[in-house]
Amino acid sequence: MLCSEICIPPPGRHPHQSQMTSVITLFLVFSFMALLLSAILSATMINGLLAQQIRQIGIMKAIGARTRQITGLYLVLIVLLGMAASLIGVPLGIAAGRGFTGVIAQLLNLEIYSDVVPAWVYLVLILMGILIPLLVALDPILKATRTTVRETLNDYGISRDASASTYGTAGSAAFDFLTTP
């Protein structure tokens, strides 16, 4: 076998630098996509929660609760949910990252000497797990808590004719048939 060319990487550069750069770029793209999708999921969950509880907000206001108190109540709920999700998700994510790092290191013929994660990474992940849902939920919470008592108690959901237009006459007969024992 005849060797016609030898490729030597530039000094200070790993021979698999281009592959590692591609993998890291792929990780960053997927990380930002996951972050965006989790923010959308949080916003959807909060909007659904507030849509279900709009009349309860009106009742709380009718008996004397102030907008600031109701807003604080929902913000504390979001912070607690974010803390619970972070306490569950961060250790699982770190464990999955360590496993995936081992696979990538084996594929690129690298040896990982330490898989210690710095403390600031844990802090950033927990803060992101709390602050992103809080920031995403702030607008829907403020909109829901700033509505008047009359508007909240007159809330019909999607439209005023929601009960009539959802099933219609034939649909309600079919629904009644399905629910009778």
Side-chain angles (χ1 to χ4, degrees), residues 159-180:
S159 70
R160 290 191 178 274
D161 300 330
S163 61
S165 64
T166 302
Y167 298 112
T169 56
S172 71
F175 184 74
D176 289 339
F177 171 74
L178 291 174
T179 58
T180 54

Side-chain angles (χ1 to χ4, degrees), residues 134-155:
L134 191 62
L135 292 174
V136 170
L138 191 60
D139 185 51
I141 289 173
L142 289 175
K143 284 180 182 175
T145 58
R146 287 182 178 162
T147 56
T148 64
V149 174
R150 182 170 188 247
E151 289 172 348
T152 58
L153 295 178
N154 284 335
D155 183 59

